[in-house]
């Protein structure tokens, strides 16, 4: 049903009217682009980049919300934190109403006391700016800052994470409170890190309020310069959408049929930049007063509204929140995928696991508790994949509010609980593993991750509803995880020269820079493997002239005459060079070879007799193309073929055994071994167990469900 916007998209809210005729020069409401882009251009890897100052131990702790408790509980908390080995807590994330009870009036007595107590106990603080929940007074005074959904619903107070990121009142108020905090606590002995806001983009990624519309127009002016360029980029000659004035442009709100996909894609880019400008505003305000590194907690693979490749350049240290989808049997594999992506965002540098859960969360359909040992397995998997911090949401379980059924380090059941015992054990294990801090994960295989491509692919009216970028990303990652291959993620324009193999499982949108980068990688000797429906459009969701896949035709040595998606549930057989008969589903293509060789063909289905899998030698490298969906063992077979062709050795995997190696600057190798299976397995490495200090032989075992951290004997 259409929910056509009836208010004027051109007018600013009455109380805060400003001239929209010259959007570019209206600095007061500069929504996003200038701040984000200027800052992106500046050398932001400042001297602050590096690691949290203070202890050389792995950081251990969690969100701490003492404002929910009386003072005597704080004292007990601190005692218990010491018992568990906690050395970092995130404080103040939801405390705006407490520290600024009336606009411009600050009351720091609560934070003063909490921070002094923590400092006295030797527990460091990651100080939050509380800007994810503006106080009630803010909403009363600035109701026009409320976000509006695509369907036109204006959201109300009483929750969190809701504000128009383009609201000038919000921008000013959030910068003011961040600045006041930094001024007061920039030299406090407890504060070692700043935590700006909380999970930008969740739950509101896009807002369709009037401020956002104004900001969008400015962002577009900055991007395109002229309406002529914009009309051409958006293909507005289609369906008669030509714009004659900037103030005719609206956000792509819910309309009668589907909206212009280029407009929607740009609105997603704008929205990510608008949120980023909020972060940059607070970050720069903090930097004026405080020397500690600054972060904001990402949700690496699970926040659809933010392009973290851009964001990662702006934080001093990358931090991430991860929650299992508890009902999935492979939730530990998805955890590993998230951790590998986070490390990649951090450019391989150590990162902070800012939040995860000790046991069940409270917001899934069925909140499954973690089984005994799962807490350590999950935490260690993040550490194995480069995190030098293990933090939880939250230290003490809340007795009231929306999250009272969420697990915590200290659950309602208190210190006699299994969870508490496992928390204390984990604290001690991490304490014993300090020496691996700062070491790096090495990977010779990469997967291309393009947020822009995912945004574009997930828009409406694609050739099949079964095309789902996330599904393919998970499938390829899972195949590599099962084979025991550690992977990095890369942006399409990243330097790929260090990788023996690069997989692009779902790369629908590829711009000129990305496609020439992939071509260059293959020409220089790399092995690229691309899955179907990739390289189809360029940056404005436009099909390049000629046959698909325009952006990859040359490197793959083929063209696609027609997409041949399959009916729901249909499968196709593949035969050819491989011994096994593989089964495809969802998709096939009518491929015309233009230099590539078919290594497998369709036995049946709409492309019967035509190529299914191809390889093209190009320059010193080669590029594979897989034109259908393979799953399970078939996909693993394909992945092994590609890896083997590039000389990447694949050891016979042990089911359920996760083994990742981190290498220190001096060459010391640390291997984290996590046994997700119920039966024991041999560790396969000689060295020293960091938990016990005992020597470990290669045939030593890691029991079912257990973890071991081994410093290898060989350098
Ligand atoms: C996170 C959020 C935390 C807490 C947690 C519960 O997304 O940052 O504040 O709500 O979820 O799982």
């Amino acid at each position: 049903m259409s929910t056509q916007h009836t208010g004027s998209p051109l007018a600013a809210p009455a109380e805060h009217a400003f001239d929209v005729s010259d959007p570019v020069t209206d600095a007061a409401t500069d929504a996003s682009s200038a701040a984000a882009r200027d800052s992106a251009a500046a050398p932001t890897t400042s001297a602050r980049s590096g690691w949290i100052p203070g202890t050389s131990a792995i950081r251990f702790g969690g969100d701490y919300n003492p404002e929910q408790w009386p003072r005597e509980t704080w004292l007990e908390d601190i005692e218990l934190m010491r018992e568990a080995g906690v050395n970092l807590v995130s404080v103040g994330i939801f405390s705006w109403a407490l520290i600024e009870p009336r606009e411009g009036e600050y009351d720091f007595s609560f934070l003063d006391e909490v921070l002094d107590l923590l400092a006295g106990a030797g527990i460091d603080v990651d100080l939050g700016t509380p800007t994810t929940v503006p106080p009630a007074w803010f909403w009363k005074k600035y109701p026009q800052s409320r976000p509006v959904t695509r369907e036109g619903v204006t959201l109300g107070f009483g929750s969190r994470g809701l504000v128009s990121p383009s609201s000038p009142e919000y921008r000013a108020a959030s910068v003011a409170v961040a600045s006041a905090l930094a001024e007061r606590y920039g030299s406090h002995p407890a504060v070692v890190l700043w935590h700006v806001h909380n999970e930008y983009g969740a739950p509101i990624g896009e807002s369709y309020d009037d401020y956002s519309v104004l900001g969008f127009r400015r962002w577009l002016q900055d991007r395109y310069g002229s309406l002529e360029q914009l009309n051409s980029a958006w293909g507005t000659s289609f369906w008669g959408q030509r714009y004659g004035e900037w103030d005719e442009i609206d956000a792509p709100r819910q309309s009668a049929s589907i909206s212009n996909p280029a407009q929607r894609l740009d609105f997603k880019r704008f929205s990510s930049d608008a949120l980023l400008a909020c972060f940059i505003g607070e970050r720069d305000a903090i930097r004026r007063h405080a020397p500690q590194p600054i972060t904001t907690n990402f949700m690496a693979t699970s926040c659809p509204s933010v392009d973290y490749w851009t964001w990662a350049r702006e934080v001093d240290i990358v931090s991430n929140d991860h929650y299992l989808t508890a009902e999935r049997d492979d939730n530990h594999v998805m955890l590993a995928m998230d951790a590998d992506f986070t490390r990649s965002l951090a450019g391989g540098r150590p990162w902070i696991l800012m939040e995860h859960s000790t046991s069940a969360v409270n917001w899934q359909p069925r909140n499954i508790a973690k089984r005994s040992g799962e807490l350590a397995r999950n935490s260690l998997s993040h550490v194995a994949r480069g995190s030098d911090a293990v933090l939880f949401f939250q230290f003490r379980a809340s007795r009231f509010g929306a999250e009272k059924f969420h697990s915590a380090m200290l659950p309602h059941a208190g210190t006699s609980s299994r969870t508490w015992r496992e928390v204390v054990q984990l604290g001690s294990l991490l304490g014993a593993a300090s020496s691996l801090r700062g070491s790096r994960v090495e990977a010779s295989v990469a997967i291309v991750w393009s947020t822009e491509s995912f945004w574009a692919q997930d828009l409406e009216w694609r050739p099949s509803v079964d095309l789902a970028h996330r599904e393919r990303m998970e499938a390829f990652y899972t195949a590599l995880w099962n084979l025991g291959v550690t992977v990095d993620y890369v942006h399409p324009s990243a330097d790929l020269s260090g990788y023996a193999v690069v997989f692009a499982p779902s790369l629908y949108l590829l711009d000129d820079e990305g496609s020439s980068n992939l071509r260059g990688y293959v020409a220089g000797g790399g092995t690229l493997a691309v899955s179907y429906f990739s390289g189809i459009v360029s940056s404005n969701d436009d099909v390049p002239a000629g046959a698909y896949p325009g952006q990859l035709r040359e490197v793959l040595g083929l063209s696609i005459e027609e997409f041949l998606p399959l009916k729901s549930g249909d499968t196709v057989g593949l035969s050819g060079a491989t011994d096994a008969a593989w089964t495809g589903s969802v998709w096939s293509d009518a491929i015309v070879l233009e230099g590539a060789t078919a290594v497998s063909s369709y036995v049946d289905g709409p492309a019967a007799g035509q190529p299914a899998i191809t390889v093209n030698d190009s320059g010193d490298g080669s590029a594979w193309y897989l034109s259908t969906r393979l799953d399970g063992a078939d996909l693993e077979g394909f992945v092994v073929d590609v890896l083997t062709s590039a000389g990447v050795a694949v050891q016979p995997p042990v089911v359920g055994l996760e083994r990742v190696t981190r290498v220190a600057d001096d060459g010391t190798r640390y291997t984290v071994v996590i046994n997700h299976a119920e039966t024991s397995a041999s560790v396969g490495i000689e060295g020293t167990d960091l938990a016990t200090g005992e020597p470990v032989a290669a045939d030593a075992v890691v029991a079912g469900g257990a973890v071991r951290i081994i410093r290898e004997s060989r350098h």
Side-chain angles (χ1 to χ4, degrees), residues 274-452:
L275 289 163
L276 181 56
C278 292
F279 168 74
I280 289 170
E282 288 195 43
R283 180 201 66 191
D284 291 352
I286 295 169
R287 279 190 179 163
R288 279 192 279 279
H289 304 288
Q292 300 88 351
I294 303 169
T295 189
T296 183
N297 44 346
F298 294 174
M299 294 161 284
T301 64
S302 46
C303 181
S305 49
V306 166
D307 186 356
Y308 286 126
W309 289 121
T310 317
W311 283 64
R313 295 200 294 259
E314 303 296 338
V315 295
D316 293 329
I317 304 175
V318 164
S319 64
N320 192 50
D321 297 352
H322 181 264
Y323 292 93
L324 300 177
T325 302
E327 280 192 76
R328 279 181 71 151
D329 291 337
D330 64 347
N331 57 31
H332 55 290
V333 181
M334 296 298 101
L335 179 159
M337 172 168 142
D338 205 78
D340 282 341
F341 184 50
T342 308
R343 179 186 68 255
S344 305
L345 290 170
R349 287 180 291 277
W351 52 278
I352 300 169
L353 174 62
M354 186 63 86
E355 291 180 24
H356 70 152
S357 67
T358 56
S359 188
V361 299
N362 65 303
W363 41 265
Q364 294 181 6
R366 279 165 293 275
N367 295 293
I368 309 300
K370 290 190 182 176
R371 306 292 299 275
S372 177
E374 201 174 348
L375 165 58
R377 291 196 294 280
N378 289 170
S379 296
L380 264 285
S381 181
H382 288 288
V383 171
R385 294 170 191 280
S387 177
D388 276 353
V390 175
L391 308 179
F392 294 91
F393 177 83
Q394 60 180 329
F395 181 73
R396 184 185 275 271
S398 302
R399 287 190 44 227
F400 42 78
E403 296 183 322
K404 53 187 171 294
F405 302 128
H406 197 289
S407 61
M409 297 173 83
L410 182 64
H412 295 300
T415 53
S416 60
S417 60
R418 173 177 65 84
T419 297
W420 177 253
R421 282 195 299 279
E422 291 195 18
V423 163
V424 174
Q425 276 163 16
L426 178 64
S428 136
L429 175 60
L430 294 174
S434 300
S435 56
L436 69 67
R437 218 194 63 59
S439 54
R440 305 272 189 113
V441 174
E442 288 178 348
S444 59
V445 174
I447 296 178
V448 181
W449 182 288
S450 164
T451 309
E452 291 207 343

